[in-house]
C-alpha cells in the first residue's frame, strides 16, 4: 500500500485518504461557451506525467495538495491545501 | 510392498526419533517422527504412490519436495489442499488424497487417460459444443471433474489475526545469502524480519553443500544463535512472503495468519526452483528432482529409492551422486546432457567408484511397473534411436534452476536473461530492494555469503544494491526437453500439459507467452508454474527461433503461494455505525436494515411487515410517532463568510434568511447533477446548522472543506454528524407530548412552521426545527449524542398517554411519498438534474454564482426527464415495484422510482421519472410489471396528501399540560457510564472513560479563550501537553484544540459552561467513545488493528488521528509509573462497534469473555 508523507501527519497509508481528483482551474462561467464549459466539467487530464492532485486525510479531515508522477506512481511533494498552494498548482 | 526406506540416524536430520507420531492415510495406519512432513513419513513407510494428476489421473508422487508438489495434495477433516510435501506430521492426522475416485491404486478417474485424444489443448474451446443440446450434460460432467478437493462448508470457523509489522530490513529466504544478509543488517543496527518457508533456517546449506564447507556450517550456527537470542531479529518459519506491494508493503503468510510487513528495505534471497527435464513418462513416481531427494535424505533420512539413475546437466548432480552413494543408495548411472569435454572435475571420481557416466546422453523414456518407475531408456542426444535400458527405481534430475523471482517481478524489477549463466537475472531493482544469492545468479557458496553480507549492510544503510559478481558458469541446461512419439512428456505437472500441447497451441497461433498461458493453462495450476514456466519459455523461444528475453515471461502477480481466504479476512472487521438510541430500538423490537455503515430500524414489532408499517404510518397521522433520524449528516458552518459559502454550494438563496429560519437545501455538482439535499437552519448571523442525507454526509463535508480552501473563505466547519443525534417527533399530538417536557412556547405564533428554536427539553439543550417531511405537525429535535438516549426515553414516556409509537425508515418513506418529497438517489440518479425531478423551483438563477449554475442554464433547455406523481387502485399497488419500466409503443419512456400503498388516501401512489416529451399533457401511462403484465396508472399531481400544508397551519393547543416528573435516574447511553477499569495488571485491560469531560474548541479566538482559562497551549499541530489530574490538551488544527479534562472537574465545569457558538468560537462537549487500553500485549493488539507503527503511536507529546479497526480514531499514548497505555477515541456512532471489537479481541487473547458485564471490575483513577 502506498504511503503519503504528509506535513503535520508523517507517513500515512493510502487507505486513510480519499482521492479528490486533479487540481483544476474553473473557467469563467459567465464568459465561457457551452463547449468550453462542458470540456471543463466532463474532461480530465489523463496524460501521464506530473499531476497536482487533491488528497483528503479522512481521520483528520485535512486536504492536501500532492504532486504525483503518474508514470512512476511516486509522490513528489505533498503540502497542506491552501489558496496560495492551489494558485501555484493551477499555474504549474 | 510397504517397507521402510528410513536410513540410519544422521547428524543433520530434522526428525526426532524419540517422538513417533501415528497417522492415517487412505484409512491405513502409519508411523512417522516429529519433524517429518506427511510426504517424508509416507515415503519412509515405502508408500510411493501419493497422488493422482489433475486431468488424466496418472499416478504421481513427490517431485520437488519444495512446497510445490501439487499432485500430492491431501485433505483432512478440517482442511483441504494440504500440501503433503511441507505439512508437518501431527498425531492422529487422518488424510485422504484429493483428486481420486476410489483409491489411489484403483482410481476410476484414470479412465480419463483413454479420453486424452478428445482433450487436446484448449479443448474447452473446441469440443463438446456440438450438438448444442448436449452441452449442459458435458458442462455438468466437466464441472464435476474439474477442481481439486471438496469444500466442506461446515468446517469450524476460525479467526486469524492479521498484524502489521514494521522492520528496517525484511530478508526473504534464510539460505546462505539470506542469513548472511540478516546478520549483517543486525550488525548495522537494523531491526530485521527473516522469513523462510522451511521449518528451519539454512535453505540449501547442509543439504546442498558438502560437509567440507565449514564456513556455511559456521554461518548457520551463528544464525541459529541470533534467532534464539537477538530480539532485533524476528524469525518466521514455515512462512512465505506472498506478495509485494507499493512502498515495500509485503504480505507475509505465516501459519498463525497473515502479517502485513512495512519494510525499510527488502532483501530478496529466495534462491532458485529446480527445474525438471521433459521426456516420456517424466511424471512417474520415482522420477524426481535431485534437490528434493537430497532434502529428504538430509532432513528426514529417507532414501527415495534403492537404485538411482541421475540425469545431469550441472555440477550439483555429481555432488548429489556422491551423497547418495555414501548413504548407500546405488547409483546405476549418471546420464549427462553435456558433451564429454564439458563434464565437471567430479566426473572421473564417479568412474573410479564404478559409476558409469553417459556423456552427451539423455533419458529417452521412463518405464513403468506397478505405477512406479522400473527403468529408463538412455540414448545419445545425436542418435535418439540408439537406446539402452537401465533398470532403476529412482531417476533424479539435476538439469537446471529457475530464479525464485516472483517477488522481484511484483516489486517492479527488470529481469534479463544471462546466456552464460542460462538464468534470468535482475538487472535493475526497485527502490529499497536488494537481490542476493542464487536468485541473482550466484551459485558459489563463498560468493553467496559475501554478497549476502554486503547486501544486508547496504539494505540496512539504504545504500545502492551490490552488483552481481562471480563465475559466469551455467547451472542450467539450455533445453532439457525431448520429444517422443508417444508424448506423455509433461511440461506442467499441475495441469498435465505435454510438450505437444504447447507445440499445438503455438501452431494454432497462440505464440505469445501470455496467450500461450491462457490458452493452454500452463502455469495456471496451484504451483503457478514454478516447475513449468522456465521450460515453457524455452520451448516457445525455440519454436519461434528467438531469445528468452524476446519471448518474455508471464506477469507475476500476488500471491506467490496460496493464502487462505480466512487469513485475508483476518478478524473480519466490519465497521457498523449505530445511533445512541440503538439499545432502545432493540427494546422496541426493531427490525434492522443496513443503510451504508448505519444500522437503522426498518420497522418495529414482530408482526407482519406490511401491517407493522401501516400501523406506524397511522400513528403519525392520528396521534404521534417518533423516528430516529440521527443518521442525517450535520455540519456546523460558522464565520463571516458562512452565508457566502452556502450561497455558492447550494442552489437556493440563503442571504436573506432570518435568524431562526430554516430552508430546504439542494446541492448539485458542477455538471448540475443532484448530489445531496438537506435543511439549512440559521442559528445566528454567522452560524448555520446544515443537515445532509445520511449517506452524503462525508462527501458533503469534504466538499465544503475543499471549497472553503479553494475560495479562501473565512469559515469554520465542524462535522457533528455523530456528535449530534436527532429524532423527529411527528403527528397531531406531537406538540402536546413536547409540552410535557419543555417551557418553550409551542403555539403556532411562538414556533411557526419551518422555524428553528434552541431550547431546553427535559433540561437538555436541544435544537428544534419545525419540519414537514412526513406531512404532519412535527419537530426535528437535535441533541448532543450523549443525551439522546435519555431524551428518547422521556419523549416515549411523555407520549405514552397519546399512544406514541416509534416508526421506522419504511413508514417514513411512505409518509414522505404522500408529500411528494424526493429521496436523493432513489427518485433521482447519477444523471438527474433538478429539472429531471421537477424541482426547477429549487434553483435561484438570479444568484451570481453557485456550483452547477452554468450547467443548469444549459440543462434547463435540454433536460430529458421530468418526475410525475401517479395513482392506481389500492389493491394493485403491491404489484408495482420500484424500477419497473414505463413502456409506450414498445419503447421505454421512463421508470417507477417510488411506490407505496397509502391507507390514508385509499389508493396506490408513486413517483415516476418519465421522458419530458412523453409526459407532456398526458393523463395515463402504462407500467410493465416484473412478470411482464402491463398496468395503467394515472398521473396525479404530487403532493398527494395535504398539498396546502394545512396540517402545519392549524392551531396548536398546548394549554394546561403538566410537566412530566423527571426521574433523576434516567440513564445515559450505556456507553457513557462511569469509568470502569478492569485489572490494570492484566495482560490486556480496557476502561471506558466516555463520561469524562472531552471538549473540542474551534475558531480564531480559540487560543485566547483557552489561555484565559489558564491552559498552556501546544504550539505545533498534533502536539499534546499533559495536564494535571490526568488530562491533556492537543492542538488538532490551525485553530482547533481537543481538551480532555481528566479529573479536573473545575475545568470540565467551566468549559461545559461555554458550550455553544459565540462570536466565531465554537465549544463542543464531545460524545466520543473514549477508552483507555493497556497491558503488556497492547502493542500486539494495536498492530492487529492499526497500520501505523507502534513507534509512531507511542510519543506522549503527540496525538495521532488514524484508522483503527477500519474506522477513524484518535490515539493519545499516556504513561504512568508502571506502563504505557493508550487513550483512544472515536465518534460515538462507531463507539459500540469499536468497544465490541476490542472486547472480542481482548477476550480471545485472555481466553475468557471480556466485557463490562462479565469481568471483575474496580474503580480507579488514572
Amino acid at each position: 500500500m502506498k504511503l503519503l508523507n504528509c506535513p503535520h501527519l508523517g507517513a500515512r497509508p493510502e487507505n486513510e485518504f480519499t482521492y479528490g481528483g486533479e487540481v483544476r482551474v474553473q473557467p469563467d462561467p459567465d464568459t465561457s461557451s457551452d463547449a468550453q464549459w462542458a470540456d471543463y466539467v466532463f474532461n480530465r487530464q489523463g496524460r501521464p506525467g506530473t499531476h497536482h492532485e487533491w488528497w483528503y486525510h479522512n481521520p483528520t479531515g485535512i486536504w492536501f495538495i500532492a504532486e504525483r508522477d503518474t508514470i512512476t506512481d511516486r509522490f513528489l511533494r505533498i503540502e497542506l491545501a491552501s489558496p496560495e498552494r492551489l494558485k501555484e498548482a493551477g499555474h504549474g | 510392498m510397504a517397507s521402510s526406506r528410513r536410513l540410519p540416524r544422521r547428524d543433520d536430520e530434522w526428525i526426532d526419533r524419540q517422538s513417533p507420531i501415528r497417522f492415517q492415510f487412505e484409512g491405513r495406519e502409519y508411523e512417522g517422527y516429529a519433524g517429518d512432513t506427511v510426504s517424508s513419513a509416507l515415503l519412509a513407510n515405502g508408500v510411493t504412490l501419493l497422488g493422482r494428476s489433475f486431468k488424466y489421473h496418472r499416478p504421481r508422487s513427490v517431485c520437488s519436495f519444495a512446497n510445490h508438489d501439487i499432485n500430492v495434495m491431501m485433505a483432512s477433516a478440517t482442511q483441504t489442499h494440504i500440501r503433503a510435501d511441507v505439512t508437518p506430521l501431527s498425531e492422529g492426522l487422518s488424510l485422504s488424497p484429493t483428486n481420486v475416485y476410489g483409491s489411489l491404486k484403483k482410481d476410476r478417474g484414470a479412465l480419463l487417460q483413454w479420453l486424452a485424444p478428445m482433450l487436446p489443448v484448449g479443448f474447452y474451446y473446441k469440443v463438446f459444443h456440438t450438438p448444442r443440446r448436449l452441452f449442459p450434460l458435458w458442462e455438468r460432467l466437466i464441472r464435476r471433474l474439474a477442481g481439486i478437493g471438496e469444500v466442506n462448508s461446515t468446517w469450524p470457523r476460525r479467526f486469524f489475526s492479521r498484524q502489521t509489522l514494521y522492520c528496517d530490513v525484511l530478508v526473504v529466504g534464510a539460505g546462505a545469502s539470506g542469513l548472511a544478509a540478516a546478520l549483517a543488517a543486525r550488525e548495522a543496527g537494523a531491526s530485521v524480519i527473516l522469513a523462510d518457508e522451511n521449518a528451519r533456517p539454512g535453505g540449501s546449506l547442509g543439504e546442498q553443500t558438502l560437509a567440507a564447507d565449514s564456513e556455511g556450517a559456521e554461518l548457520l550456527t551463528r544464525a541459529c544463535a541470533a534467532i534464539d537470542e537477538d530480539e532485533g531479529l524476528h524469525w518466521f518459519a514455515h512462512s512465505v512472503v506472498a506478495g509485494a506491494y507499493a512502498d515495500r508493503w509485503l504480505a507475509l503468510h505465516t501459519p498463525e495468519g497473515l502479517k502485513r510487513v512495512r519494510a525499510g528495505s527488502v532483501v530478496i534471497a529466495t534462491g532458485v526452483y529446480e527445474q525438471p527435464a521433459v521426456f516420456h513418462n517424466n511424471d512417474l513416481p520415482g522420477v524426481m528432482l535431485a534437490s528434493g531427494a537430497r532434502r529428504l535424505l538430509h532432513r528426514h533420512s529417507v532414501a527415495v529409492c534403492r537404485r538411482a539413475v541421475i540425469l545431469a546437466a550441472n555440477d550439483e548432480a555429481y555432488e548429489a551422486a556422491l551423497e547418495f552413494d555414501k548413504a548407500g543408495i546405488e547409483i546405476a548411472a549418471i546420464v549427462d546432457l553435456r558433451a564429454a569435454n564439458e563434464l565437471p572435475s567430479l566426473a572421473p571420481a564417479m568412474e573410479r567408484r564404478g559409476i558409469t557416466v553417459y556423456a552427451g546422453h539423455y533419458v529417452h523414456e521412463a518405464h513403468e511397473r506397478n505405477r512406479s518407475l522400473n527403468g529408463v531408456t538412455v540414448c545419445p542426444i545425436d542418435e535418439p534411436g540408439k537406446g539402452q535400458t537401465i533398470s532403476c527405481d529412482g531417476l533424479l534430475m539435476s538439469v537446471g534452476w529457475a530464479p525464485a523471482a516472483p517477488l522481484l517481478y511484483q516489486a517492479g524489477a527488470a529481469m534479463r536473461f544471462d546466456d552464460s549463466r542460462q538464468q534470468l537475472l535482475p538487472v535493475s531493482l526497485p527502490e529499497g530492494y536488494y537481490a542476493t544469492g542464487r536468485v541473482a545468479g550466484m551459485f558459489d557458496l563463498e560468493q553467496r555469503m559475501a554478497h549476502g553480507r554486503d547486501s544486508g549492510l547496504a539494505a540496512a544503510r539504504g545504500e545502492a544494491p551490490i552488483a552481481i559478481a562471480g563465475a559466469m558458469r551455467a547451472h542450467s541446461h539450455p533445453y532439457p526437453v525431448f520429444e517422443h512419439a508417444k508424448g506423455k512428456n509433461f511440461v506442467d505437472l499441475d495441469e498435465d500439459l505435454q510438450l505437444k500441447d504447447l507445440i499445438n497451441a503455438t501452431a494454432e497461433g497462440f505464440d505469445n507467452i501470455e496467450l500461450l498461458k491462457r490458452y493452454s493453462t500452463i502455469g495456471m495450476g496451484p504451483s503457478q508454474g514454478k516447475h513449468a514456466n522456465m521450460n515453457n519459455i524455452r520451448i516457445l523461444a525455440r519454436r519461434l527461433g528467438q531469445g528468452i528475453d524476446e519471448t518474455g515471461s508471464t506477469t507475476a502477480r500476488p500471491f506467490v503461494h496460496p493464502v487462505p481466504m480466512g487469513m485475508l479476512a483476518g478478524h473480519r472487521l466490519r465497521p457498523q455505525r449505530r445511533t445512541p438510541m440503538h439499545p432502545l430500538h432493540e427494546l422496541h423490537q426493531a427490525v434492522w436494515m443496513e443503510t451504508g455503515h448505519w444500522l437503522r430500524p426498518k420497522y418495529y414489532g414482530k408482526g407482519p411487515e406490511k401491517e407493522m408499517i401501516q400501523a406506524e404510518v397511522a400513528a403519525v397521522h392520528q396521534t404521534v410517532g417518533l423516528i430516529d433520524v440521527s443518521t442525517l449528516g450535520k455540519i456546523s458552518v460558522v464565520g463571516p463568510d458562512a452565508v457566502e459559502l452556502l450561497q455558492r454550494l447550494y442552489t437556493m438563496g440563503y442571504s436573506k434568511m432570518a435568524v431562526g429560519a430554516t430552508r430546504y437545501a439542494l446541492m448539485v455538482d458542477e455538471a448540475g447533477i443532484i448530489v445531496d439535499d438537506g435543511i439549512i437552519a440559521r442559528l445566528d448571523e454567522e452560524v448555520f446548522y446544515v443537515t445532509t442525507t445520511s449517506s452524503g454526509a462525508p462527501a458533503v463535508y469534504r466538499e465544503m472543506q475543499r471549497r472553503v480552501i479553494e475560495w479562501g473563505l473565512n469559515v469554520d466547519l465542524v462535522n457533528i454528524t455523530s456528535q449530534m443525534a436527532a429524532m423527529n417527533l411527528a403527528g397531531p399530538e406531537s406538540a402536546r407530548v413536547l409540552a410535557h417536557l419543555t417551557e418553550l412556547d409551542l403555539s403556532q405564533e411562538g414556533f411557526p412552521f419551518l422555524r428553528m428554536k434552541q431550547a431546553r427539553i427535559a433540561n437538555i439543550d436541544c435544537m428544534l426545527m419545525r419540519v414537514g417531511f412526513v406531512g404532519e405537525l412535527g419537530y426535528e429535535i437535535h441533541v448532543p449524542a450523549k443525551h439522546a438516549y435519555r431524551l428518547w426515553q422521556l419523549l416515549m414516556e411523555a407520549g405514552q398517554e397519546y399512544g406514541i409509537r416509534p416508526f421506522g425508515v419504511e413508514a417514513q418513506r411512505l409518509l414522505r411519498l404522500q408529500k411528494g418529497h424526493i429521496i436523493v438517489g432513489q427518485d433521482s440518479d447519477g444523471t438527474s438534474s433538478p429539472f429531471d425531478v421537477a424541482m426547477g423551483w429549487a434553483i435561484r438563477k438570479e444568484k451570481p454564482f453557485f456550483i452547477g449554475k452554468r450547467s443548469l442554464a444549459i440543462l434547463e433547455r435540454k433536460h430529458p426527464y421530468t418526475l410525475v406523481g401517479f395513482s392506481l387502485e389500492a389493491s394493485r399497488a403491491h404489484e408495482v415495484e420500484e424500477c419497473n419500466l414505463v413502456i409506450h409503443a414498445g419503447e421505454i419512456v421512463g421508470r417507477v422510482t417510488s411506490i407505496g400503498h397509502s391507507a390514508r388516501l385509499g389508493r396506490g401512489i408513486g413517483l415516476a421519472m418519465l421522458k419530458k416529451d412523453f409526459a407532456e399533457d398526458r393523463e395515463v401511462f402504462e407500467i410493465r410489471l416484473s412478470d411482464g403484465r402491463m398496468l395503467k396508472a394515472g398521473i396525479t399531481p404530487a403532493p398527494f396528501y395535504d398539498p396546502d400544508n394545512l396540517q402545519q397551519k392549524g392551531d396548536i393547543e398546548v394549554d394546561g399540560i403538566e410537566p412530566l416528573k423527571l426521574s433523576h435516574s434516567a440513564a445515559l447511553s450505556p456507553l457513557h457510564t462511569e469509568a470502569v477499569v478492569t485489572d490494570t495488571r492484566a495482560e490486556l485491560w480496557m476502561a471506558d472513560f466516555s463520561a469524562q469531560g472531552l471538549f473540542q474548541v474551534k475558531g480564531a479566538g480559540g487560543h485566547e479563550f483557552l489561555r484565559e482559562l489558564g491552559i498552556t497551549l501546544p504550539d505545533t499541530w498534533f502536539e499534546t501537553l499533559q495536564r494535571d489530574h490526568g488530562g491533556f490538551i492537543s492542538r488538532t488544527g490551525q485553530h482547533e484544540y481537543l481538551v480532555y479534562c481528566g479529573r479536573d472537574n473545575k475545568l470540565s465545569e467551566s468549559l461545559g459552561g461555554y458550550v455553544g457558538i459565540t462570536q466565531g468560537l465554537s465549544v463542543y462537549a464531545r460524545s466520543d467513545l473514549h477508552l483507555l487500553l493497556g497491558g503488556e500485549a497492547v502493542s500486539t493488539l494495536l498492530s492487529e488493528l492499526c497500520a501505523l507503527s507502534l513507534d509512531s503511536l507511542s510519543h506522549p507529546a503527540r496525538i495521532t488521528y488514524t484508522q483503527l479497526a477500519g474506522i477513524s480514531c484518535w490515539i493519545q499514548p499516556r504513561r504512568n509509573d508502571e506502563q504505557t497505555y493508550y487513550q483512544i477515541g472515536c465518534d460515538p456512532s462507531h463507539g459500540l462497534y469499536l468497544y465490541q471489537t476490542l472486547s472480542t479481541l481482548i477476550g480471545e487473547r485472555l481466553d475468557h469473555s471480556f466485557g463490562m458485564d462479565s469481568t471483575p471490575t474496580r474503580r480507579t483513577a488514572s
Side-chain angles (χ1 to χ4, degrees), chain B residues 493-753:
Chain B
L493 293 180
D494 293 21
E495 303 267 336
D496 274 358
L497 286 165
Q498 310 167 47
L499 176 58
K500 67 166 189 203
D501 293 327
L502 298 176
I503 291 173
N504 290 344
T506 315
E508 286 175 38
F510 297 95
D511 57 0
N512 166 290
I513 192 78
E514 297 279 8
L515 293 178
L516 180 58
K517 171 180 174 174
R518 278 148 189 84
Y519 186 63
S520 69
T521 71
I522 189 158
M524 288 166 72
S527 84
Q528 293 283 286
K530 297 202 171 52
H531 298 301
N533 286 345
M534 197 61 227
N535 280 336
N536 181 38
I537 296 170
R538 292 185 193 275
I539 290 164
L540 182 61
R542 181 159 292 202
R543 296 302 297 178
L544 300 177
Q546 64 186 24
I548 299 291
D549 284 337
E550 284 169 274
T551 308
S553 116
T554 52
T555 309
R557 298 189 178 87
F559 294 115
V560 175
H561 189 269
V563 178
M565 298 292 266
M567 288 194 181
L568 293 174
H571 283 286
R572 303 180 206 192
L573 300 178
R574 198 159 165 265
Q576 255 175 349
R577 301 179 77 176
R578 296 173 177 87
T579 72
M581 294 85 108
H582 187 91
L584 295 170
H585 301 321
E586 254 166 10
L587 283 180
H588 297 314
Q589 299 186 308
V591 174
W592 297 101
M593 66 189 284
E594 288 188 1
T595 55
H597 278 185
W598 288 103
L599 268 185
R600 300 192 66 182
K602 187 179 185 190
Y603 62 92
Y604 297 86
K606 290 263 183 266
E609 177 171 338
K610 278 190 183 125
E611 285 175 31
M612 295 293 113
I613 294 168
Q614 291 294 352
E616 288 171 15
V617 171
V620 175
H621 281 311
Q622 289 154 20
T623 57
V624 59
L626 184 63
I627 182 170
D628 181 354
V629 291
S630 303
T631 60
L632 289 175
K634 304 166 208 81
I635 300 167
S636 163
V637 181
V638 182
D641 295 332
V643 177
E644 184 60 25
L645 177 71
L646 299 175
Q647 284 285 78
R648 296 194 200 183
L649 279 174
Y650 289 95
T651 60
M652 293 178 71
Y654 304 98
S655 53
K656 290 176 191 146
M657 240 174 113
V659 170
T662 69
R663 190 161 291 174
Y664 179 67
L666 183 68
M667 183 181 271
V668 300
D669 65 12
E670 285 181 325
I673 302 304
I674 298 174
V675 288
D676 204 72
D677 72 348
I679 299 284
I680 292 176
R682 189 167 206 166
L683 274 54
D684 206 337
E685 276 304 315
E686 296 181 356
V687 182
F688 291 83
Y689 187 96
V690 180
T691 69
T692 77
T693 61
S694 300
S695 55
V700 170
Y701 179 63
R702 268 201 310 272
E703 187 63 10
M704 282 187 176
Q705 286 175 293
R706 189 215 302 247
R707 295 303 184 177
V708 164
I709 298 166
E710 194 176 344
W711 294 329
L713 299 178
N714 185 358
V715 175
D716 285 322
L717 299 168
V718 183
N719 186 352
I720 45 176
T721 296
S722 45
Q723 294 295 331
M724 297 294 282
M727 55 201 96
N728 188 0
L729 182 73
E733 305 283 9
S734 56
R736 277 183 282 278
V737 173
L738 211 50
H740 287 287
L741 296 167
T742 183
E743 288 167 8
L744 178 68
D745 177 4
L746 294 168
S747 69
Q748 191 65 267
E749 302 71 39
F751 192 176
F753 186 42

Side-chain angles (χ1 to χ4, degrees), chain B residues 183-375:
Chain B
L183 291 178
R186 280 300 297 141
E187 276 166 33
S191 62
V192 175
I193 290 177
L194 174 63
D196 194 287
E197 61 185 322
N198 289 290
R200 300 187 188 185
S204 62
L205 274 177
E207 99 218 9
Q208 281 175 42
T209 346
L210 299 178
D213 284 322
S214 57
E215 265 186 74
E218 187 266 339
L219 172 66
L220 187 53
T221 313
R222 255 191 324 131
C224 288
I227 284 168
D228 286 343
E229 291 155 20
D230 182 355
E231 285 190 0
L233 178 63
H234 203 156
W235 158 246
F236 287 93
H238 286 299
S239 299
V240 179
V241 177
Y245 302 86
D247 291 343
R248 295 178 297 286
W249 173 249
L250 298 103
L252 173 61
H253 170 198
T254 77
E256 289 76 42
L258 197 68
K259 313 280 180 198
R260 300 179 288 187
V261 181
R262 179 75 72 179
S265 307
V266 182
V267 179
I268 302 291
T270 41
V272 282
Y273 306 123
E274 184 153 41
Q275 299 298 302
V278 177
F279 55 87
H280 180 63
N281 281 345
N282 63 341
D283 64 328
L284 274 179
V287 180
M288 70 180 293
L289 300 173
S291 59
R294 292 174 85 175
R295 272 190 287 281
L296 278 156
L297 175 67
H298 280 273
R299 298 177 182 177
H300 308 287
S301 298
V302 169
V304 294
C305 60
R306 294 201 167 77
R307 184 176 152 85
V309 169
I310 291 178
L311 180 59
N314 52 23
D315 296 2
E316 291 90 325
Y318 291 81
E319 291 163 10
L322 282 178
E323 264 179 27
F324 293 131
D325 189 45
K326 225 162 75 184
I329 298 170
E330 185 188 343
I331 307 295
I334 295 177
V335 181
D336 202 314
L337 299 173
R338 296 170 293 184
N341 60 357
E342 293 169 334
L343 295 187
S345 52
L346 279 170
M350 299 293 153
E351 303 278 2
R352 280 198 295 279
R353 284 169 177 260
I355 301 171
T356 315
V357 177
Y358 294 86
H361 278 62
Y362 74 104
V363 172
H364 181 65
E365 57 190 19
H367 304 290
E368 184 221 322
R369 197 174 142 206
N370 288 336
R371 293 168 293 272
S372 59
L373 181 71
N374 185 39

Side-chain angles (χ1 to χ4, degrees), chain B residues 25-39:
Chain B
F25 179 57
E26 281 204 302
R28 291 183 63 173
E29 286 264 333
Y30 297 98
E31 195 176 279
Y33 296 119
D36 259 325
T37 70
V38 172
S39 289

Side-chain angles (χ1 to χ4, degrees), chain B residues 776-1105:
Chain B
E776 298 293 346
L777 175 67
Y779 302 86
E780 194 170 285
I781 308 168
H782 291 249
V783 54
K786 65 169 80 172
H787 300 298
Y789 183 89
R790 177 175 149 92
L791 182 62
W792 177 283
Q793 281 184 317
L794 291 171
L795 285 170
M796 289 300 290
E797 198 181 325
Q800 206 171 19
E801 61 179 286
Y802 304 93
I804 194 171
R805 188 169 179 141
F807 64 105
V809 176
E810 286 298 334
Q812 183 184 240
R813 283 160 87 111
L814 185 59
L815 286 160
R816 69 85 208 179
L817 177 59
Q818 293 182 151
K819 290 294 290 174
H821 295 307
I822 70 154
I823 295 179
V824 172
Q826 174 173 332
D827 300 297
S828 72
D829 61 30
T831 65
S832 314
S833 73
F835 301 110
D836 292 315
V837 292
M839 284 175 67
W841 56 264
I843 297 165
R844 289 286 170 280
K845 281 184 281 189
E846 52 287 5
K847 282 202 290 186
F849 171 82
F850 62 88
I851 301 247
K853 183 189 174 197
R854 180 71 176 81
S855 295
L856 288 175
I858 301 168
L859 288 169
E860 186 172 21
R861 302 195 297 269
K862 41 174 155 179
H863 64 98
Y865 290 100
T866 188
L867 197 72
V868 302
F870 66 87
S871 311
L872 33 80
E873 272 177 56
S875 59
R876 311 285 313 257
H878 70 276
E879 294 176 45
V880 183
E881 287 180 279
E882 278 149 13
C883 278
N884 276 164
L885 297 177
V886 178
I887 307 282
H888 178 69
E891 296 286 321
I892 298 170
V893 291
R895 65 166 206 279
V896 174
T897 61
S898 289
I899 181 76
H901 166 237
S902 167
R904 178 84 174 186
L905 301 169
R907 55 191 162 106
I909 52 170
L911 296 173
M913 189 181 278
L914 300 181
K915 284 196 173 154
K916 196 174 53 174
D917 304 340
F918 170 77
E920 239 160 64
D921 300 326
R922 190 166 296 275
E923 287 171 3
V924 176
F925 59 82
E926 279 195 306
I927 301 165
R928 188 172 69 189
L929 304 175
S930 299
D931 62 6
R933 284 178 303 132
M934 304 300 288
L935 180 65
K936 277 199 170 60
I939 291 183
T940 317
F944 306 95
Y945 173 70
D946 187 22
D948 301 319
N949 281 336
L950 298 175
Q951 299 296 324
Q952 309 291 353
K953 293 175 183 165
D955 281 344
I956 298 172
E957 279 297 333
V958 286
D959 293 343
I961 287 181
E962 292 289 311
L964 188 77
K965 250 205 185 128
L966 298 180
S967 54
H968 184 67
S969 65
L972 291 171
S973 159
L975 279 181
H976 298 105
T977 52
E978 283 191 62
V980 176
V981 185
T982 54
D983 190 344
T984 57
R985 289 160 306 187
E987 190 189 358
L988 274 173
W989 56 266
M990 182 164 87
D992 184 355
F993 270 53
S994 305
Q996 307 238 340
L998 185 72
F999 295 90
Q1000 180 181 5
V1001 177
K1002 183 157 186 170
H1007 313 277
E1008 226 167 283
F1009 166 76
L1010 288 167
R1011 271 201 207 102
E1012 275 170 23
L1013 286 176
I1015 300 175
T1016 316
L1017 301 182
D1019 291 327
T1020 57
W1021 287 33
F1022 303 109
E1023 185 185 345
T1024 293
L1025 294 180
Q1026 307 289 334
R1027 293 182 46 76
D1028 292 343
H1029 309 291
F1032 69 78
I1033 175 162
S1034 304
R1035 183 166 178 195
T1036 54
Q1038 182 57 35
H1039 40 239
E1040 189 181 314
Y1041 294 91
L1042 186 72
V1043 187
Y1044 169 60
C1045 301
R1047 278 170 289 108
D1048 190 343
N1049 294 334
K1050 224 175 102 190
L1051 178 66
S1052 192
E1053 269 167 40
S1054 104
L1055 276 171
Y1058 287 104
V1059 167
I1061 302 167
T1062 38
Q1063 302 190 340
L1065 178 74
S1066 315
V1067 179
Y1068 298 94
R1070 291 187 61 99
S1071 302
D1072 293 24
L1073 172 81
H1074 172 187
L1075 300 167
L1076 305 191
L1077 193 65
E1080 267 172 46
V1082 71
S1083 51
T1084 312
L1085 184 67
L1086 285 176
S1087 73
E1088 286 185 25
L1089 297 172
C1090 179
L1092 296 193
S1093 75
L1094 204 68
D1095 283 348
S1096 70
L1097 292 178
S1098 301
H1099 205 303
R1102 203 173 156 78
I1103 191 167
T1104 303
Y1105 282 75

